[in-house]
Amino acid sequence: RLTFVDGGNTMLCSAALLATQVSDLTPYLLTANHCISNDTVAATLQARFFYQTTSCAGPNQNGVNVGHASVLATNATVDVSLLLLDGALPSGAVWA
């Protein structure tokens, strides 16, 4: 679960960790361009790993936050953004 601030509003989106060919565990994050398309918004990012609730829209149970990212590439036509997360990822994270 991604939370970030855009235009003064807190927004939510999803993403996936993207593996490299050499499996070096670089924290590349693939999300939509309509979510995050510039470094100003990416700097406000909080990526919540292992987010889960006991019911739909219920209170969060567990989870680990990793904050801030940089935009490496973005394209509005195909609605994709590739980010590089700052900071260590939690143990057990899985790359696509």
Side-chain angles (χ1 to χ4, degrees):
R1 178 179 122 156
L2 304 180
T3 57
F4 53 92
V5 178
D6 191 3
N9 298 310
T10 300
M11 312 293 277
L12 297 172
C13 266
S14 61
L17 285 170
L18 190 61
T20 64
Q21 285 185 319
V22 296
S23 298
D24 63 1
L25 304 182
T26 300
Y28 294 122
L29 194 67
L30 191 64
T31 192
N33 170 274
H34 73 265
C35 294
I36 298 175
S37 62
N38 62 64
D39 283 327
T40 301
V41 175
T44 69
L45 174 69
Q46 288 292 309
R48 184 106 175 141
F49 289 84
F50 312 118
Y51 177 84
Q52 60 184 2
T53 63
T54 57
S55 63
C56 186
N60 177 40
Q61 306 293 315
N62 303 316
V64 177
N65 278 335
V66 176
H68 310 274
S70 301
V71 176
L72 300 179
T74 191
N75 186 301
T77 302
V78 293
D79 195 25
V80 65
S81 288
L82 179 64
L83 312 177
L84 179 61
L85 283 173
D86 295 335
L89 298 182
S91 174
V94 177
W95 278 252

